[in-house]
Amino acid sequence: MKSKLKITVLFLLISFFYSNAQDAKTTVELIQSSKEKITELNAEAAKIGEAIELKKQDLIIKDSQAKQLAIQTSEAKKLKDKVKTEDAKRVQKTADQEVSYIKKELKNLQKSQKEKLKEAKQLAKSNNSIEKAQKNVTKTKAKLLKADNNLKKTTTQYEKNMLNKKLTLEKEIKAKSKILKLDTQVKELKLELKKNELILQTEQLKF
């Protein structure tokens, strides 16, 4: 009986560590891949940030030129010189269009940078969630293994004592109560484990 119990416990231990190692391996791989992606996104966002600064400087220059041309157009109108006025208007229009185009480019760059930073933040948040889910699964598995071992040992000892008629009625009731309590604990932990494993799988699917 003891030999059979030892084999069962050994099997459970091997199953526990193998299953836990597989879960942890998957989680580690996902997190590593996610961290690499976060680094890549942050690098891209930084590069876009440099382009934004250059574009802002370009906008300041072009906007200043457009304003200067607007003054020249106004002066040409005052002189009532149609040729100069039309030339000034044409040049001013081109300058205004350049300013508008640069503003649009700047807006697109800022939007792109914001999206990449948002994605990096979301991945970091997912990393924290999957790490937490993995810890919960590992912790619950350990609790379940311990409770299951206790149940098997207590049940085996109870059966042995019953065969040898070593139990009084009072001790038999206590032993049965303990077995029932441990059995309930095992069932509750199995349900908790299923719930935590489902949460972990859900978090893994987000990647």
Side-chain angles (χ1 to χ4, degrees), residues 12 37 52-53 56 63 65 67 71 76 107 113 118 184 186 203:
L12 285 168
K37 182 65 177 174
I52 286 170
E53 289 307 310
K56 281 181 178 179
D63 190 50
Q65 289 173 349
K67 285 176 181 176
I71 293 168
K107 189 177 179 180
Q113 186 189 44
K118 185 181 177 182
T184 302
V186 167
E203 292 299 330

mmCIF file of all heavy atoms in Angstrom, residues 12 37 52-53 56 63 65 67 71 76 107 113 118 184 186 203:
data_model
loop_
_atom_site.group_PDB
_atom_site.id
_atom_site.type_symbol
_atom_site.label_atom_id
_atom_site.label_comp_id
_atom_site.label_asym_id
_atom_site.label_seq_id
_atom_site.Cartn_x
_atom_site.Cartn_y
_atom_site.Cartn_z
ATOM 1 N N LEU A 12 2.400 12.260 -9.553
ATOM 2 C CA LEU A 12 1.769 13.578 -9.439
ATOM 3 C C LEU A 12 2.804 14.693 -9.442
ATOM 4 O O LEU A 12 2.601 15.742 -10.057
ATOM 5 C CB LEU A 12 0.925 13.654 -8.159
ATOM 6 C CG LEU A 12 -0.409 12.900 -8.178
ATOM 7 C CD1 LEU A 12 -0.980 12.828 -6.770
ATOM 8 C CD2 LEU A 12 -1.400 13.572 -9.126
ATOM 9 N N LYS A 37 9.216 43.361 -29.099
ATOM 10 C CA LYS A 37 8.306 44.196 -29.871
ATOM 11 C C LYS A 37 8.182 45.580 -29.242
ATOM 12 O O LYS A 37 8.150 46.599 -29.961
ATOM 13 C CB LYS A 37 6.935 43.520 -29.948
ATOM 14 C CG LYS A 37 5.898 44.267 -30.779
ATOM 15 C CD LYS A 37 6.273 44.324 -32.236
ATOM 16 C CE LYS A 37 5.198 45.016 -33.070
ATOM 17 N NZ LYS A 37 5.590 45.212 -34.481
ATOM 18 N N ILE A 52 9.481 64.537 -36.152
ATOM 19 C CA ILE A 52 8.506 65.549 -35.730
ATOM 20 C C ILE A 52 9.192 66.866 -35.404
ATOM 21 O O ILE A 52 8.723 67.945 -35.799
ATOM 22 C CB ILE A 52 7.696 65.045 -34.508
ATOM 23 C CG1 ILE A 52 6.683 63.980 -34.946
ATOM 24 C CG2 ILE A 52 6.966 66.195 -33.807
ATOM 25 C CD1 ILE A 52 5.997 63.251 -33.800
ATOM 26 N N GLU A 53 10.310 66.786 -34.683
ATOM 27 C CA GLU A 53 11.056 68.002 -34.322
ATOM 28 C C GLU A 53 11.566 68.731 -35.561
ATOM 29 O O GLU A 53 11.500 69.965 -35.634
ATOM 30 C CB GLU A 53 12.223 67.645 -33.389
ATOM 31 C CG GLU A 53 11.801 67.227 -31.988
ATOM 32 C CD GLU A 53 10.895 68.238 -31.312
ATOM 33 O OE1 GLU A 53 11.241 69.445 -31.307
ATOM 34 O OE2 GLU A 53 9.827 67.831 -30.818
ATOM 35 N N LYS A 56 8.643 70.352 -37.269
ATOM 36 C CA LYS A 56 8.209 71.558 -36.540
ATOM 37 C C LYS A 56 9.078 72.758 -36.907
ATOM 38 O O LYS A 56 8.583 73.871 -37.091
ATOM 39 C CB LYS A 56 8.278 71.306 -35.031
ATOM 40 C CG LYS A 56 7.106 70.510 -34.491
ATOM 41 C CD LYS A 56 7.246 70.315 -32.984
ATOM 42 C CE LYS A 56 6.051 69.545 -32.412
ATOM 43 N NZ LYS A 56 6.209 69.328 -30.944
ATOM 44 N N ASP A 63 6.088 78.880 -42.285
ATOM 45 C CA ASP A 63 5.006 79.734 -41.793
ATOM 46 C C ASP A 63 5.451 81.194 -41.750
ATOM 47 O O ASP A 63 4.694 82.106 -42.092
ATOM 48 C CB ASP A 63 4.570 79.263 -40.407
ATOM 49 C CG ASP A 63 3.288 79.941 -39.948
ATOM 50 O OD1 ASP A 63 2.317 79.948 -40.725
ATOM 51 O OD2 ASP A 63 3.253 80.460 -38.818
ATOM 52 N N GLN A 65 7.780 82.514 -43.644
ATOM 53 C CA GLN A 65 7.887 82.959 -45.035
ATOM 54 C C GLN A 65 6.505 83.310 -45.597
ATOM 55 O O GLN A 65 6.349 84.310 -46.311
ATOM 56 C CB GLN A 65 8.530 81.869 -45.891
ATOM 57 C CG GLN A 65 10.011 81.670 -45.614
ATOM 58 C CD GLN A 65 10.601 80.471 -46.356
ATOM 59 O OE1 GLN A 65 9.862 79.671 -46.924
ATOM 60 N NE2 GLN A 65 11.929 80.362 -46.348
ATOM 61 N N LYS A 67 3.886 84.296 -43.959
ATOM 62 C CA LYS A 67 3.423 85.542 -43.331
ATOM 63 C C LYS A 67 4.095 86.756 -43.976
ATOM 64 O O LYS A 67 3.473 87.808 -44.165
ATOM 65 C CB LYS A 67 3.706 85.506 -41.829
ATOM 66 C CG LYS A 67 2.735 84.603 -41.071
ATOM 67 C CD LYS A 67 3.099 84.506 -39.597
ATOM 68 C CE LYS A 67 2.117 83.582 -38.862
ATOM 69 N NZ LYS A 67 2.501 83.386 -37.450
ATOM 70 N N ILE A 71 2.385 89.920 -46.214
ATOM 71 C CA ILE A 71 2.661 91.360 -46.031
ATOM 72 C C ILE A 71 2.996 91.998 -47.384
ATOM 73 O O ILE A 71 2.514 93.089 -47.715
ATOM 74 C CB ILE A 71 3.814 91.572 -45.026
ATOM 75 C CG1 ILE A 71 3.365 91.125 -43.619
ATOM 76 C CG2 ILE A 71 4.263 93.033 -44.999
ATOM 77 C CD1 ILE A 71 4.493 91.024 -42.610
ATOM 78 N N ALA A 76 1.578 95.261 -52.163
ATOM 79 C CA ALA A 76 1.373 95.353 -53.614
ATOM 80 C C ALA A 76 -0.032 95.840 -53.931
ATOM 81 O O ALA A 76 -0.246 96.610 -54.884
ATOM 82 C CB ALA A 76 1.611 93.972 -54.251
ATOM 83 N N LYS A 107 0.904 66.323 -38.439
ATOM 84 C CA LYS A 107 -0.228 65.681 -37.760
ATOM 85 C C LYS A 107 -0.174 64.162 -37.925
ATOM 86 O O LYS A 107 -0.406 63.407 -36.976
ATOM 87 C CB LYS A 107 -1.536 66.226 -38.335
ATOM 88 C CG LYS A 107 -2.774 65.792 -37.558
ATOM 89 C CD LYS A 107 -4.023 66.428 -38.143
ATOM 90 C CE LYS A 107 -5.264 65.978 -37.372
ATOM 91 N NZ LYS A 107 -6.511 66.592 -37.935
ATOM 92 N N GLN A 113 3.238 58.270 -34.103
ATOM 93 C CA GLN A 113 4.017 58.120 -32.870
ATOM 94 C C GLN A 113 3.116 57.739 -31.698
ATOM 95 O O GLN A 113 3.448 56.854 -30.899
ATOM 96 C CB GLN A 113 4.755 59.416 -32.551
ATOM 97 C CG GLN A 113 5.698 59.283 -31.357
ATOM 98 C CD GLN A 113 6.258 60.619 -30.916
ATOM 99 O OE1 GLN A 113 5.534 61.611 -30.830
ATOM 100 N NE2 GLN A 113 7.555 60.651 -30.650
ATOM 101 N N LYS A 118 1.149 53.830 -27.830
ATOM 102 C CA LYS A 118 -0.048 53.197 -27.264
ATOM 103 C C LYS A 118 0.061 51.675 -27.346
ATOM 104 O O LYS A 118 -0.275 50.957 -26.393
ATOM 105 C CB LYS A 118 -1.291 53.674 -28.016
ATOM 106 C CG LYS A 118 -2.598 53.167 -27.425
ATOM 107 C CD LYS A 118 -3.785 53.666 -28.237
ATOM 108 C CE LYS A 118 -5.103 53.110 -27.690
ATOM 109 N NZ LYS A 118 -6.265 53.563 -28.503
ATOM 110 N N THR A 184 -13.119 18.264 -0.108
ATOM 111 C CA THR A 184 -13.772 19.515 -0.507
ATOM 112 C C THR A 184 -12.722 20.536 -0.952
ATOM 113 O O THR A 184 -12.907 21.228 -1.959
ATOM 114 C CB THR A 184 -14.596 20.096 0.665
ATOM 115 O OG1 THR A 184 -15.564 19.137 1.079
ATOM 116 C CG2 THR A 184 -15.292 21.380 0.259
ATOM 117 N N VAL A 186 -9.743 19.909 -2.167
ATOM 118 C CA VAL A 186 -9.198 19.473 -3.460
ATOM 119 C C VAL A 186 -10.138 19.870 -4.599
ATOM 120 O O VAL A 186 -9.695 20.387 -5.631
ATOM 121 C CB VAL A 186 -8.948 17.942 -3.474
ATOM 122 C CG1 VAL A 186 -8.690 17.445 -4.900
ATOM 123 C CG2 VAL A 186 -7.755 17.600 -2.589
ATOM 124 N N GLU A 203 -5.136 35.338 -21.654
ATOM 125 C CA GLU A 203 -4.053 36.329 -21.727
ATOM 126 C C GLU A 203 -3.052 35.959 -22.815
ATOM 127 O O GLU A 203 -2.543 36.823 -23.540
ATOM 128 C CB GLU A 203 -3.341 36.445 -20.373
ATOM 129 C CG GLU A 203 -4.173 37.058 -19.256
ATOM 130 C CD GLU A 203 -4.623 38.469 -19.555
ATOM 131 O OE1 GLU A 203 -3.913 39.198 -20.274
ATOM 132 O OE2 GLU A 203 -5.702 38.855 -19.052
#
